[in-house]
Amino acid sequence: GKPVILNTNGTVTQVAAVAEALGSQTVFQSSAVEFMGSAYDPDSGKTIITFGGTDTHGWAVVATPASDNSITFGTPVKFAASSVEYTAVSYDTGQDRVLIAYSDKGDSYKLKAIVGTVSGTSISYGSAATIETNDSRYIKLAYSPDSSNHMVIYADAGNSSRGTARCLTVTGGGTNSVATASAVVYNSTSVTSQDVVYDTSQDKFVVFYRDTGNSNYGECAVGSISGTTISFGSSVALNSANTNDIALAFDSTNEKTVVIYKTSQDPRSRVISVSGTTPSAGSEVVLASLS
């Protein structure tokens, strides 16, 4: 009667929260920050963190973890001179670069993207490209090593805040530039909280979002990229309750996606499986009773 994960050796493990050891807290920015994003660089073993700040700029910083649970940071480097919101970042293993997407508050909240190159504990950038001229919010990014493309998702305020996706491609040759393809709507009503991950076992992108047009339920859509063209299967409501604060992670060992979200004040989780372009979910697990 309990939700379980099937292990590769044929055994099962009950889904549950696991206590983890924590290292010491380290400050990487002395002023207030918000709209944070992060991505892991497997080539250098470092993590890139993006954020907006009270100084009205967009920043990225390179973090280096150590085996003793400590972490060190390079100096934050500015990628936008105006105020930014909803930063997201993904790492491009084909080009050995990071891609940062953000809403440029200083330019009517247009969706922009910029390519960064990590060297040691620093990061340098190419020129920013405008991806969407409409007001864009709730931005998230994921990378497909199979197609060498990124998928950016956002709420397009110029189209009734519908859930929208675009294919982004980081160009080679050291140009540090990004190309975009046509926008594709994956939800015909407005979305707010959302996230996207790439399922390496299915060669699919998994999008989980809060559908304000369907009682704020948590819905899931599965997308594919062919060339630079995105297509989606039908959306499925996987959580029939008010769903918020959504985050996704893909488990490459068990070939499943884990979603965490909040209903009322309680953090909850489900395991998502993908078959073709159809998502399904296991039983909900309450991670903590706070409400």
Side-chain angles (χ1 to χ4, degrees), residues 38-116:
S38 67
Y40 177 66
D41 172 357
D43 296 312
S44 67
K46 300 180 187 300
T47 296
I48 298 88
I49 300 172
T50 57
F51 57 93
T54 55
D55 58 0
T56 67
H57 300 300
W59 299 85
V61 64
V62 177
T64 306
S67 58
D68 63 354
N69 286 337
S70 65
I71 188 168
T72 58
F73 293 92
T75 301
V77 182
K78 188 187 305 180
F79 64 80
S82 59
S83 179
V84 304
E85 294 187 358
Y86 302 106
T87 71
V89 57
S90 55
Y91 185 75
D92 191 314
T93 56
Q95 298 292 336
D96 296 336
R97 291 180 173 90
V98 295
L99 179 63
I100 300 170
Y102 59 96
S103 178
D104 190 343
K105 184 178 180 180
D107 191 15
S108 303
Y109 292 96
K110 293 175 182 176
L111 171 58
K112 296 185 178 182
I114 193 167
V115 179

Side-chain angles (χ1 to χ4, degrees), residues 26-42:
T26 304
V27 175
F28 64 85
Q29 178 78 349
S30 58
S31 59
V33 303
E34 56 185 352
F35 300 110
M36 297 174 66
S38 67
Y40 177 66
D41 172 357

